[in-house]
Amino acid sequence: MSSLTDVELSIGGMTCASCANRIERKLNKLEGVTATVNYATEKAKVTFPEGIDPQELIATVESAGYTAALPRPPAADNAPAEEEDELRPLRNRLITAVVLAVPVIAMAMIPPLQFTNWQWLSLTLAAPVVVYAGWPFHRAAWTNLRHGAATMDTLISIGTLAALGWSLWALFFGTAGTPGMTHPFELSISRTDGSGNIYLEAAAGVTAFILAGRYFESRSKRRAGAALRALLELGAKDVELADGRRVPTDQLKVGDRFVVRPGEKIATDGVIEEGTSAVDASMLTGESVPVEVGPGDGVTGATVNAGGRLIIRATRVGADTQLAQMAKLVEEAQTGKAQVQRLADRISGVFVPIVIALAVGTLGFWLGTGGGAGAAFTAAVAVLIIACPCALGLATPTALLVGTGRGAQLGILIKGPEVLESTRKVDTIVLDKTGTVTEGRMTLIDVHLAEGESKEEVLRLAGALEHASEHPIAQAVAKAARSEAKVEDFANVEGLGVQGIVDGHAVLVGRPRLLEEWSQHLPEDLRDALESEQNKGRTAVAVGWDGKARAVLVVADVVKPTSKEAIQQLRALGLTPVLLTGDNEAVARTVAAEVGIDEVIAEVLPADKVEAVKKLQAEGKVVAMVGDGVNDAAALAQADLGLAMGTGTDAAIEASDLTLVRGDLRVAADALRLSRRTLKTIKGNLFWAFAYNVAALPLAALGLLNPMIAGAAMAFSSVFVVSNSLRLRAFK
């Protein structure tokens, strides 16, 4: 079986959803090719087998009358200029159309302005609007005609040219060219033979309104994608290496050591080798509080060094960095299609031929019932103009574009549009304990002292000794103590603890048995404290020196300070939280009680986590799973919705549907709220797009809409859908 390759093509020349649908059908006819074309992002995501050259895909798109190219790497510095260049021709045509169309519409609507031979001035002004300003519609319609297809441009071109052509006939061969002719503007049609009617205001007005709709739609689409462009622009442009040279960031290699001064962006993902600081990751994760870091800590590219000077060793560069992976996930999500969009695509694909047939039928009906040529023509043109499927085509992709972009700003990565469908149905959320509800690392939480002992002295001596050990419990004590006392004769007593000389004191830290071997027995109050902490599932170690037991240190994986609030937010969304862990029942129950979880599944082996999720699903529950470790990956994939903590492993992130960039469980609630809000926006857009066409087409066919009003309403529908989607940018 040949392997498959993915490629993303930038598509040019699309003007409506029907264009995207047509390109998609053409590509999917190629053997082994699966393609998805997105009108809003103007991109095609294509999966194809080994035997096909990407140039063949490009040629297929071009044979359909459009342009295609492999996308260039984003250049942040050129983005605004490129956008300006892209919009300029459209803006110039729009300005021309508005300047010339306004007098034409005014003369048609206001009888006092209809001076002798005013109709000839209207023709002089309207003709450039229809021919020059409307040229993109005519060119696209001709291209489609040559390929035996019809799109929205076909409707606009036929409608405006028909209005102009009829007006020319009426002026030159009918009675409309008579000096002193007046033309009362009517919202609906009138029953006349049409020889004295001109429709120049409809031809010019429709062109101007639709150009305005296209211009604002294009601007809005670019605003919708601004979050992704901002994400791509976050990274540093150049970096100072440890040897003093300054090089562009894209020249960094894994293993290179580079300097980051206060206020500078960290150039790429790496590990701190020298220095301590606070790192501001807000622009990447949405986390507002800077994180304290020091030697051995990992840092992410594009975050800002808010404190001291750091020397960092690069661990991931280029496309492997977290920033690049985030951008890739967001872009892939924006290129995909939700199930609701595929319905809209199927409708828009057959919509244009149906509308043309309906317009012909309307023309025949009015002529057949004696309504007059003018009435028949006006109704037919109104049907052509009003029936834009653009709003249908924009309904899903623009909402998805804005929603996923806003998610990226908040540290939420949505893998694909189908994920949105899942979030609506979820009723149970399974939470891995370690690293999800808890910090995932040992922390010193309490110190029990023997009578007469000083906490500061205990931590100074114990911390210095533990600093020499690599054990997680030892590191938790050392980190809390931050002792600078010197250690001599350090020794690790396997299975019991550590011992050594600290500032002349023979110090022991470990199990009570280690101290007992040196005749240092715990007093009764310390023994009671140790047993009490162990019953709660915590780890307790004894400290002694100079022949006497001095203290008991309590170490545990503490609950994250935001976890309790997160559980409350998840409950408010109608979800039942379940704690899933491999820890013992006592520890699990203690953590669950602290954060407000009632249901606990404890002492589960990694391989059994999948079975726990399956069991919940078998009970009829729709399950979301939140985890961060390799042992969570299979369960994340099994769940109806998988959410991976971005602070976790690559395996967990790969298996999930949503990635929460920062390790705050509250973001899970935010992710579900954002996904549901995005889906709600999509459905609202589709409702209005469907309702608009369903309501407007019969009105136009019955002669209750002037073509110019139809053009304005059609343009408004597309702008409304995009504007409604843009409201997601305000999500908090």
Side-chain angles (χ1 to χ4, degrees):
M1 183 176 176
S2 62
S3 61
L4 298 175
T5 306
D6 290 329
V7 71
E8 191 174 72
L9 302 177
S10 296
I11 307 295
M14 290 193 297
T15 54
C16 67
S18 297
C19 300
N21 204 37
R22 184 157 155 253
I23 297 168
E24 197 171 283
R25 286 200 310 271
K26 280 267 189 183
L27 287 170
N28 284 325
K29 283 180 182 177
L30 297 174
E31 188 174 350
V33 171
T34 304
T36 300
V37 181
N38 191 309
Y39 170 48
T41 58
E42 297 176 337
K43 289 179 180 175
K45 185 178 179 182
V46 189
T47 303
F48 59 97
E50 275 179 351
I52 292 182
D53 188 325
Q55 293 303 320
E56 187 178 338
L57 303 174
I58 292 172
T60 301
V61 175
E62 290 175 345
S63 71
Y66 304 90
T67 63
L70 295 169
R72 294 174 297 168
D77 296 339
N78 298 333
E82 287 177 5
E83 180 178 328
E84 185 64 25
D85 290 343
E86 201 173 321
L87 290 175
R88 185 180 293 123
L90 186 57
R91 186 176 61 247
N92 291 342
R93 291 183 190 275
L94 173 60
I95 291 171
T96 301
V98 170
V99 169
L100 298 180
V102 167
V104 176
I105 295 169
M107 284 187 287
M109 293 178 68
I110 306 171
L113 296 179
Q114 295 172 4
F115 56 88
T116 305
N117 294 323
W118 67 273
Q119 64 271 42
W120 297 102
L121 176 61
S122 288
L123 176 62
T124 306
L125 296 174
V129 175
V130 176
V131 177
Y132 164 72
W135 177 246
F137 307 131
H138 310 316
R139 181 180 56 204
W142 173 246
T143 301
N144 289 322
L145 182 63
R146 284 189 304 147
H147 292 91
T151 66
M152 182 55 214
D153 293 297
T154 309
L155 302 184
I156 297 168
S157 180
I158 292 174
T160 54
L161 288 177
L164 178 64
W166 182 278
S167 301
L168 288 170
W169 180 87
L171 285 168
F172 287 98
F173 302 105
T175 59
T178 306
M181 185 274 283
T182 58
H183 175 52
F185 180 79
E186 297 175 352
L187 293 180
S188 59
I189 62 175
S190 56
R191 295 170 178 266
T192 67
D193 65 1
S195 63
N197 289 357
I198 57 173
Y199 298 98
L200 296 172
E201 79 284 357
V206 164
T207 303
F209 280 128
I210 294 176
L211 276 174
R214 286 272 170 93
Y215 176 73
F216 290 116
E217 177 189 308
S218 297
R219 280 190 59 187
S220 297
K221 278 160 60 178
R222 276 151 188 78
R223 284 176 63 200
L228 176 59
R229 290 197 299 276
L231 194 64
L232 293 168
E233 292 166 19
L234 282 180
K237 303 298 181 287
D238 54 26
V239 59
E240 181 184 335
L241 298 179
D243 61 11
R245 289 181 297 135
R246 198 159 193 93
V247 299
T249 304
D250 57 12
Q251 291 183 16
L252 271 178
K253 301 183 189 68
V254 172
D256 283 351
R257 297 169 77 244
F258 59 93
V259 179
V260 185
R261 291 186 169 80
E264 291 183 340
K265 288 181 180 178
I266 295 172
T268 193
D269 298 359
V271 174
I272 296 173
E273 292 198 338
E274 296 178 28
T276 58
S277 182
V279 171
D280 178 3
S282 58
M283 62 182 70
L284 197 64
T285 67
E287 175 58 71
S288 58
V289 181
V291 179
E292 297 292 332
V293 293
D297 288 335
V299 289
T300 305
T303 54
V304 176
N305 176 17
R309 181 178 182 271
L310 299 173
I311 293 181
I312 299 170
R313 175 172 48 83
T315 55
R316 291 193 289 191
V317 297
D320 296 327
T321 63
Q322 184 174 336
L323 177 65
Q325 292 298 317
M326 283 175 64
K328 182 183 175 187
L329 279 173
V330 175
E331 194 155 18
E332 283 178 354
Q334 293 178 345
T335 308
K337 287 188 180 180
Q339 199 60 39
V340 285
Q341 174 64 20
R342 299 197 177 276
L343 172 63
D345 283 351
R346 287 196 294 272
I347 291 171
S348 62
V350 298
F351 197 69
V352 174
I354 290 173
V355 168
I356 292 174
L358 183 59
V360 172
T362 300
L363 182 70
F365 170 78
W366 282 93
L367 289 174
T369 55
F377 176 78
T378 304
V381 170
V383 167
L384 289 171
I385 298 302
I386 198 70
C388 173
C390 291
L392 280 178
L394 290 167
T396 295
T398 51
L400 190 62
L401 198 63
V402 182
T404 52
R406 181 60 182 148
Q409 291 175 329
L410 297 173
I412 301 163
L413 303 183
I414 302 171
K415 274 203 175 171
E418 61 282 349
V419 172
L420 303 177
E421 310 277 358
S422 304
T423 60
R424 180 172 54 87
K425 304 169 188 171
V426 168
D427 55 25
T428 303
I429 185 160
V430 175
L431 306 166
D432 172 56
K433 180 183 77 70
T434 306
T436 302
V437 177
T438 65
E439 294 285 2
R441 62 178 183 272
M442 291 295 191
T443 304
L444 180 68
I445 62 170
D446 205 354
V447 179
H448 296 278
L449 300 170
E451 189 175 350
E453 299 299 333
S454 159
K455 180 179 178 180
E456 290 73 17
E457 184 67 0
V458 168
L459 289 179
R460 187 179 76 84
L461 297 178
L465 190 62
E466 294 283 53
H467 187 71
S469 172
E470 293 297 324
H471 195 281
I473 295 173
Q475 288 298 304
V477 174
K479 188 172 183 179
R482 296 186 179 275
S483 174
E484 296 181 2
K486 293 184 179 178
V487 181
E488 300 172 47
D489 297 332
F490 173 84
N492 181 36
V493 184
E494 191 170 346
L496 293 178
V498 291
Q499 62 187 42
I501 306 299
V502 182
D503 286 352
H505 300 285
V507 182
L508 304 169
V509 182
R511 294 179 185 271
R513 214 175 94 200
L514 174 65
L515 275 68
E516 287 167 1
E517 287 182 1
W518 290 83
S519 299
Q520 298 178 18
H521 300 281
L522 292 177
E524 189 175 344
D525 57 339
L526 286 187
R527 185 168 294 281
D528 289 344
L530 184 137
E531 290 177 359
S532 173
E533 297 292 356
Q534 287 178 335
N535 290 337
K536 294 176 185 174
R538 295 168 177 170
T539 301
V541 294
V543 180
W545 66 83
D546 297 345
K548 182 182 175 185
R550 312 276 181 164
V552 168
L553 307 179
V554 183
V555 176
D557 179 12
V558 297
V559 170
K560 292 178 181 177
T562 56
S563 291
K564 184 173 183 178
E565 183 184 346
I567 299 302
Q568 292 171 346
Q569 292 179 2
L570 291 169
R571 285 189 183 279
L573 290 171
L575 305 180
T576 302
V578 178
L579 190 67
L580 179 67
T581 179
D583 271 356
N584 65 63
E585 187 85 18
V587 174
R589 291 286 174 193
T590 301
V591 171
E594 189 173 340
V595 298
I597 296 177
D598 301 324
E599 193 171 339
V600 176
I601 304 173
E603 300 178 23
V604 178
L605 295 173
D608 295 333
K609 287 189 174 183
V610 175
E611 293 305 317
V613 172
K614 283 183 178 177
K615 184 179 178 184
L616 289 168
Q617 290 171 326
E619 293 170 5
K621 295 173 181 175
V622 181
V623 180
M625 165 84 188
V626 187
D628 73 329
V630 173
N631 60 350
D632 299 320
L636 287 168
Q638 173 63 36
D640 299 287
L641 180 70
L643 296 91
M645 306 296 274
T647 50
T649 64
D650 291 342
I653 291 169
E654 187 62 32
S656 67
D657 303 305
L658 286 160
T659 301
L660 316 176
V661 176
R662 68 181 199 259
D664 185 340
L665 191 56
R666 290 178 301 180
V667 184
D670 291 340
L672 291 168
R673 286 196 303 113
L674 175 62
S675 298
R676 289 178 177 182
R677 178 83 64 83
T678 305
L679 185 63
K680 184 179 178 182
T681 301
I682 288 172
K683 291 189 170 181
N685 286 348
L686 287 171
F687 170 78
W688 287 110
F690 276 117
Y692 162 82
N693 280 306
V694 168
L697 273 173
L699 290 176
L702 291 171
L704 300 176
L705 278 180
N706 179 280
M708 189 177 67
I709 302 300
M714 186 274 283
F716 172 76
S717 71
S718 293
V719 174
F720 169 80
V721 161
V722 177
S723 301
N724 189 45
S725 299
L726 285 170
R727 293 191 307 133
L728 285 167
R729 296 175 74 188
F731 177 87
K732 293 181 180 178

